[in-house]
Amino acid sequence: MFSMRLKATPSLCFVLALISCVGLLADAIYANEQPSGVEVGSLLCEYKVKPIGMDELYPRLSWQLKTTRRAVSQSAYQVRVGARKEDLIQHRNLLWDSGKVKSDQSVNVVYTGPDLLSGKRYYWQVRVWDDEDQASDWSQLEFWEMGLLEPSDWKASWIIPNLDEDTSRPQAAPMLRTEFEIPEEVGSARLYITSLGLYEVEVNGRTVGDQIFTPGWTSYRNRLQYQTYEVQDLLRKGRNAVGIVLGDGWYRGFIGFKGQRNYYGDKLALLFQLDIAMKDGSSLLVLSNDTWTSSHGPILMSDIYMGESYDARLEQPGWSEPGFDDESWSGVRQQDFSKDHLIAPVGPPVRRQEEIKPVEILKTPAGKTVYDLGQNMVGWVRIQVHGEAGDVITLRHAEVLDQQGNLYTENLRSARQEVQYTLKGGEEEVYEPHFSFQGFRYVMVDGLRSQPALDHITGIVIHSEMAKTGRFKCSDPLLNQLQHNILWGQKGNFLDVPTDCPQRDERLGWTGDAQVFARTAAFNMDVASFFTKWLGDLAADQLEDGRIPHVVPNVIDGFASAAWADAGVIIPWTLYLTYGDERILQRQYRSMKAWVDHVTRAAGEDDLWNSGFHFGDWLAYNTTRSDYPGATTDKDLIATSFFAYSTDLIRRTALVLGKSEDAEYYSKLLVRIKRAFNDEFVTPNGRLSSNTQTAYVLALNFGLFPEAMRSIAADRLAQDVRAFDNHLTTGFVGTPYLCHVLSRFEHLETAYALLNQKSYPSWLYPVTKGATTIWERWDGIKPDGSFQDAGMNSFNHYAYGAIGDWMYRVVAGVEIDPEQPGYKNVLIQPSPGGGLDWVEASLQTLYGEVSSKWSFAKDRFRLAVGIPANAQATVRLPGAQLEDVSVDGKSPAESVGIHSVSQTRNAVLVAIGSGNYEFSYPAPTSAQLE
Ligand code: BGC
């Protein structure tokens, strides 16, 4: 093909083709081989597909190798970046060409080309060489686009509506509008927008984008996100209009459990900048300024906790279209609010994710109509109704019904979760609320002339848009329901911020809850950028002296509780392990260190952290039973344990970041804390001063006992579990590690006994009571059907869902090798037991899918393992004898991709390269499995 073209008559087109062919030839010579059978795909920039409006100056690029061959790894890569697609295709005018870089890194490769510029789009592609130095083809083109990088890029002014308001209570949502002329055909257009309060934006009568709850919730005084939208398709040559509605949101609506409003300020404001590039090369900026107009409209009030009241008779048709008569509208005022703290979003946007249809219509004893959605969910109800103008429909939302079958709303405390819609009459009306969300399974509908059909009510499920990465299934339907509940706890509570609960007057970013659940969350969904964003707020709201707030963003001004504030260290470390993300450690290092240094000062000379306020082992088992003492763990023991743990994590972080002096300092500190812990809380025979499961779990999990005492302590823990008829007694703090500690110290069956336990307190007890999410309390609904204390009884609280982590890591056995984090080297170490016949788990990692599926069939144990290219694994075959093991029906020695095989006391270890393998051997007895 190349020589044919050489003979052709030159023309511009030919010259271009020639240049590109020369480029390709040069590439081929450079690569020195034929394509390798490896393709490169799934390109991500900063964990996102084609992100726009970024402000990361050194974006990181990731890709995956796709191949059907086994044991494939990358030996080199080449990335190139250009300003235009054609430049990459023709291999010219490149902005950056990494050249062939000898490296097996395919995740988070840092762009180190020329400085990136505001508003510019960058196209990129990559190719790789495999372990035999065979080059792949170039990947498809992807791009990222920068947002506004400097405050001075913002030409728009902050504006506030000039409307009368009484901000001591929820207000009608203001609408703002403007019109403008576009003189030429539109080429491309970007809208950069943010607000104080929430916004919804329309251009020429059409909603822009599908993000909701924008601009999101951050530490508003330090960081305010703006969004970027591509809007050329909504604009046209000639007259255009835009309209924006503002909602109170987190900014000035109710926030926290003390009835507080206007926490960040009492004025809603808008910053709007529309940058239009015309096809003729000219450009136009449309900016928020004092020429805009404002009015109230149909949203009479909309509050996150309280709900919404909407009067459709007050709609102003055409308000966001050109030609609308806004004579009667008020003006706006320009304000001098800061633009210095504007940031591009790092995390995923919140969007509508699923729709749920009710499963049943119920009548309460009081004769009310209630729709059961069959799932405790978060979002709202869309209704389709017919009626007369002025008819008022009221929707009340609840998670559960009481014993009589009435809506149970006491646990909402002061949050009303009530939506009122006043009909305009005539045609069918379809309505969804705007700046409010509800946590509910049941919705009571009042005020209709006739009952709507089941399909006229739809549950709209909303959450931050995170790819679903994990899947766990097994032979026990109750455990599958538990996994379902864990996942729904995550869906319901990852709404821009990781919240404790979605229904009562909290919905706050409780640090402790997030810390407890982070690792489980990272199995179920891709939470890399979600937590990265939140950690930015954590650092922003951290006090100068290192204290970390109880909730982030901070709205309640409480700080520094053990296990809560430690989120500032534990979550960055979790992201590092899960995604191999070193940058999060670099960026959070100051915050992590400030926290540990604060605790070091608080602990003082004796290295015991026994001062300050702590939540302790929140909601641990409490009893009046005379034969069991309950499970209150000494708060000083908990605090000192977490002091040791965070010190250990920052020590490891310092090692990763090459900060050897810090690493040494924290190693020494850790030795001292352990010594202090042992002197204060451990008897010479290895007994702890608090005889609770949580105390033993923490001391064992954080490695606080001297080596020789560990198995004795673990036996004592297992003994405590058995003495309580295989029930747990742990609260928020001990629960995540309980089964881990038992299985690690040879009490796997006791751990399974806890997992399988169906009576209170246990994970499956709520499942037997029909739970569809994780409850805040082990006994949210008591065995006699009555409720726990309404003051603290959420039915959608993910903390106890932390058992999900054990199900993935131990039951299915998908584990991270901390030496090669991010699943570069996967440890597949299933733990059959607990009466399960089979388990299947998979996880989309940054390398591709990892899977572990085990089963007992016909006296044999089978383990199917899938490892993505450019990753590898160490597989542990429990209870196996080397001579009995077959791989895909052959001996390991005959199998491609097996690097090594070895026998340990009670298992066979196999090191494998990427690919799919099925191991099989005679089913081990339970004794062989311990
Ligand atoms: C929240 C929690 C939180 C706790 C502090 C509660 O009100 O719902 O989950 O961690 O307070 O202990």
Side-chain angles (χ1 to χ4, degrees):
M1 183 173 131
F2 180 61
S3 58
M4 260 171 54
R5 287 200 179 172
L6 263 185
K7 283 177 208 143
T9 321
S11 67
L12 180 60
C13 176
F14 166 75
V15 172
L16 288 181
L18 182 61
I19 290 169
S20 97
C21 284
V22 171
L24 289 175
L25 182 70
D27 289 347
I29 293 166
Y30 193 12
N32 194 25
E33 295 92 23
Q34 297 304 309
S36 63
V38 174
E39 275 178 33
V40 197
S42 303
L43 275 62
L44 298 177
C45 174
E46 288 297 320
Y47 298 106
K48 296 194 174 86
V49 181
K50 300 183 176 62
I52 66 167
M54 299 204 324
D55 61 9
E56 176 54 64
L57 299 178
Y58 304 96
R60 293 163 303 170
L61 307 172
S62 304
W63 54 86
Q64 291 180 10
L65 277 62
K66 320 254 180 194
T67 176
T68 49
R69 286 197 285 126
R70 269 188 183 171
V72 170
S73 57
Q74 172 189 301
S75 62
Y77 68 81
Q78 182 178 12
V79 174
R80 49 192 201 190
V81 178
R84 299 179 321 145
K85 283 187 193 169
E86 305 82 73
D87 292 344
L88 286 180
I89 294 167
Q90 291 158 11
H91 194 187
R92 57 169 199 193
N93 293 336
L94 294 180
L95 292 173
W96 185 53
D97 184 342
S98 69
K100 182 176 178 181
V101 180
K102 287 208 156 102
S103 164
D104 67 351
Q105 190 181 357
S106 56
V107 166
N108 284 333
V109 171
V110 181
Y111 166 84
T112 53
D115 287 352
L116 300 171
L117 305 176
S118 277
K120 289 275 176 282
R121 180 171 285 198
Y122 296 87
Y123 292 89
W124 69 286
Q125 61 182 169
V126 57
R127 65 173 170 171
V128 302
W129 285 259
D130 68 10
D131 30 329
E132 281 156 19
D133 206 26
Q134 303 274 319
S136 73
D137 285 335
W138 283 101
S139 71
Q140 294 210 342
L141 297 188
E142 287 292 346
F143 66 79
W144 76 84
E145 186 180 298
M146 303 308 284
L148 301 183
L149 302 179
E150 297 294 332
S152 59
D153 292 331
W154 286 92
K155 309 295 177 206
S157 304
W158 280 107
I159 53 172
I160 59 172
N162 215 353
L163 300 167
D164 284 341
E165 289 186 313
D166 168 7
T167 54
S168 63
R169 53 188 188 81
Q171 294 298 289
M175 310 197 298
L176 298 96
R177 73 182 303 276
T178 195
E179 291 191 18
F180 51 97
E181 191 75 26
I182 303 183
E184 294 297 333
E185 292 298 330
V186 176
S188 69
R190 293 292 176 278
L191 170 59
Y192 304 99
I193 179 172
T194 188
S195 55
L196 303 182
L198 302 173
Y199 72 82
E200 282 179 5
V201 53
E202 294 179 16
V203 171
N204 293 327
R206 284 161 66 193
T207 303
V208 175
D210 51 6
Q211 301 190 22
I212 50 179
F213 289 89
T214 47
W217 189 14
T218 44
S219 166
Y220 284 140
R221 292 181 194 128
N222 301 300
R223 292 154 40 93
L224 174 62
Q225 301 184 126
Y226 65 89
Q227 279 73 33
T228 304
Y229 302 96
E230 270 192 90
V231 291
Q232 56 270 18
D233 294 345
L234 302 177
L235 297 168
R236 56 201 170 216
K237 182 176 171 187
R239 202 84 191 134
N240 290 264
V242 295
I244 287 108
V245 193
L246 298 177
D248 291 351
W250 298 284
Y251 190 83
R252 74 167 190 188
F254 285 100
I255 193 88
F257 36 83
K258 292 187 180 153
Q260 157 182 272
R261 290 181 49 74
N262 304 317
Y263 181 77
Y264 295 100
D266 64 356
K267 293 275 174 279
L268 301 182
L270 171 72
L271 186 66
F272 177 102
Q273 181 156 323
L274 174 58
D275 192 347
I276 306 168
M278 260 81 69
K279 285 191 177 150
D280 69 352
S282 59
S283 62
L284 175 71
L285 272 183
V286 180
L287 307 172
S288 47
N289 58 29
D290 56 10
T291 64
W292 288 48
T293 54
S294 68
S295 164
H296 283 133
I299 302 178
L300 301 177
M301 80 94 179
S302 193
D303 181 89
I304 288 178
Y305 296 167
M306 299 303 169
E308 179 162 307
S309 173
Y310 186 99
D311 188 340
R313 295 170 305 178
L314 302 177
E315 285 173 355
Q316 304 195 40
W319 71 283
S320 65
E321 290 173 59
F324 174 80
D325 179 5
D326 63 1
E327 256 322 274
S328 61
W329 282 39
S330 308
V332 299
R333 283 199 304 269
Q334 260 176 232
Q335 295 287 315
D336 207 12
F337 298 142
S338 173
K339 296 173 203 161
D340 293 344
H341 61 319
L342 298 178
I343 55 165
V346 167
V350 181
R351 289 198 171 101
R352 292 172 179 81
Q353 301 290 333
E354 287 173 55
E355 299 199 350
I356 300 186
K357 287 291 178 193
V359 291
E360 205 182 346
I361 303 181
L362 309 167
K363 279 276 176 229
T364 68
K368 300 283 189 191
T369 306
V370 169
Y371 289 77
D372 175 5
L373 286 137
Q375 172 63 51
N376 195 13
M377 56 158 278
V378 176
W380 52 72
V381 164
R382 179 171 67 219
I383 47 167
Q384 287 166 255
V385 285
H386 257 114
E388 306 280 320
D391 285 359
V392 179
I393 294 170
T394 306
L395 306 175
R396 292 190 182 83
H397 304 78
E399 295 181 290
V400 287
L401 301 178
D402 67 16
Q403 276 169 299
Q404 288 69 48
N406 292 308
L407 225 53
Y408 179 73
T409 52
E410 279 81 348
N411 67 332
L412 304 178
R413 305 196 308 217
S414 75
R416 272 213 318 278
Q417 297 213 112
E418 199 174 294
V419 172
Q420 257 190 15
Y421 178 74
T422 306
L423 276 73
K424 56 189 169 213
E427 311 262 282
E428 183 182 69
E429 296 172 48
V430 180
Y431 164 76
E432 291 181 27
H434 298 78
F435 303 114
S436 177
F437 63 87
Q438 285 76 48
F440 66 104
R441 167 174 169 172
Y442 300 94
V443 57
M444 182 192 277
V445 184
D446 251 341
L448 279 171
R449 286 169 191 259
S450 63
Q451 185 167 293
L454 270 184
D455 64 346
H456 286 177
I457 296 273
T458 309
I460 309 291
V461 176
I462 63 166
H463 54 85
S464 288
E465 189 158 277
M466 300 161 292
K468 189 163 180 250
T469 46
R471 198 172 154 274
F472 178 96
K473 263 192 124 190
C474 68
S475 52
D476 182 345
L478 290 180
L479 293 181
N480 293 337
Q481 182 67 37
L482 175 63
Q483 167 60 20
H484 168 102
N485 296 0
I486 296 171
L487 183 63
W488 276 86
Q490 184 163 352
K491 290 181 183 182
N493 284 297
F494 277 48
L495 205 152
D496 210 39
V497 159
T499 62
D500 56 333
C501 58
Q503 74 297 80
R504 68 176 178 226
D505 52 359
E506 281 196 69
R507 314 180 187 196
L508 302 175
W510 281 97
T511 45
D513 307 42
Q515 175 270 107
V516 161
F517 189 63
R519 187 83 185 253
T520 302
F523 276 105
N524 292 329
M525 297 183 191
D526 171 5
V527 294
S529 63
F530 176 85
F531 274 125
T532 299
K533 173 237 176 203
W534 185 71
L535 287 170
D537 294 304
L538 182 143
D541 277 343
Q542 188 170 8
L543 300 183
E544 271 302 303
D545 64 7
R547 281 178 295 155
I548 291 174
H550 299 333
V551 301
V552 171
N554 172 32
V555 289
I556 61 171
D557 286 335
F559 298 87
S561 164
W564 269 250
D566 291 287
V569 177
I570 296 170
I571 298 182
W573 184 254
T574 303
L575 295 187
Y576 167 71
L577 287 180
T578 312
Y579 303 103
D581 189 331
E582 271 188 40
R583 182 175 284 174
I584 194 73
L585 296 183
Q586 283 156 10
R587 300 236 162 126
Q588 295 298 128
Y589 191 70
R590 221 176 131 238
S591 151
M592 296 163 83
K593 189 166 151 32
W595 169 244
V596 175
D597 293 348
H598 165 77
V599 181
T600 312
R601 287 192 300 275
E605 293 274 287
D606 61 6
D607 299 312
L608 288 171
W609 189 16
N610 50 14
S611 56
F613 166 81
H614 301 288
F615 290 109
D617 192 20
W618 193 247
L619 302 183
Y621 178 71
N622 204 315
T623 182
T624 48
R625 267 176 57 170
S626 48
D627 61 341
Y628 193 89
T632 304
T633 307
D634 175 15
K635 289 184 180 176
D636 296 349
L637 184 152
I638 294 175
T640 305
S641 305
F642 274 87
F643 179 24
Y645 185 42
S646 280
T647 301
D648 190 25
L649 294 186
I650 195 156
R651 175 188 71 81
R652 292 197 227 177
T653 302
L655 286 174
V656 171
L657 299 180
K659 297 177 186 292
S660 45
E661 272 180 31
D662 282 5
E664 207 181 308
Y665 165 79
Y666 290 112
S667 301
K668 287 187 182 146
L669 175 60
L670 181 59
V671 171
R672 290 199 331 251
I673 304 169
K674 286 189 186 178
R675 194 179 307 132
F677 182 93
N678 279 277
D679 289 350
E680 185 77 3
F681 304 115
V682 188
T683 68
N685 290 331
R687 207 177 270 277
L688 283 174
S689 56
S690 277
N691 187 31
T692 63
Q693 292 176 12
T694 288
Y696 282 94
V697 163
L698 296 183
L700 283 162
N701 197 59
F702 300 157
L704 304 180
F705 285 112
E707 185 90 47
M709 274 182 198
R710 289 182 190 160
S711 67
I712 305 168
D715 291 349
R716 216 168 251 136
L717 169 66
Q719 178 52 35
D720 185 276
V721 171
R722 283 193 294 269
F724 194 37
D725 301 328
N726 292 326
H727 289 89
L728 51 75
T729 64
T730 49
F732 276 30
V733 163
T735 298
Y737 314 118
L738 173 59
C739 284
H740 281 293
V741 165
L742 287 167
S743 53
R744 192 176 317 143
F745 291 98
E746 301 188 351
H747 293 287
L748 178 66
E749 278 310 316
T750 307
Y752 266 120
L754 285 175
L755 181 67
N756 284 329
Q757 179 57 257
K758 291 174 198 61
S759 59
Y760 162 78
S762 68
W763 285 284
L764 289 185
Y765 167 71
V767 172
T768 65
K769 287 279 175 189
T772 58
T773 36
I774 299 292
W775 297 350
E776 176 175 26
R777 320 279 302 233
W778 293 120
D779 57 348
I781 299 174
K782 296 185 185 172
D784 67 4
S786 63
F787 292 116
Q788 250 290 359
D789 176 10
M792 186 69 71
N793 200 16
S794 148
F795 292 97
N796 198 353
H797 231 76
Y798 52 56
Y800 288 149
I803 185 65
D805 169 53
W806 189 75
M807 289 157 72
Y808 279 105
R809 284 165 68 191
V810 179
V811 176
V814 177
E815 182 58 291
I816 293 166
D817 174 356
E819 297 305 316
Q820 292 188 63
Y823 300 96
K824 180 86 171 104
N825 184 40
V826 190
L827 307 179
I828 299 284
Q829 38 195 39
S831 304
L836 293 173
D837 297 327
W838 58 268
V839 170
E840 294 186 4
S842 62
L843 179 68
Q844 298 299 330
T845 71
L846 289 167
Y847 296 93
E849 183 173 287
V850 168
S851 60
S852 166
K853 301 177 182 177
W854 60 257
S855 60
F856 288 100
K858 297 204 188 108
D859 300 332
R860 289 190 74 81
F861 180 74
R862 284 177 207 284
L863 173 66
V865 176
I867 301 298
N870 205 29
Q872 56 189 33
T874 311
V875 181
R876 181 176 187 277
L877 302 173
Q881 291 301 313
L882 193 46
E883 58 280 11
D884 297 337
V885 173
S886 75
V887 188
D888 305 310
K890 292 185 279 202
S891 83
E894 293 167 309
S895 299
V896 179
I898 306 270
H899 299 322
S900 69
V901 190
S902 58
Q903 176 81 55
T904 68
R905 183 177 61 82
N906 53 0
V908 168
L909 296 183
V910 192
I912 58 172
S914 64
N916 296 315
Y917 304 77
E918 189 177 295
F919 300 92
S920 151
Y921 53 96
T925 60
S926 38
Q928 286 169 317
L929 287 172
E930 279 288 338

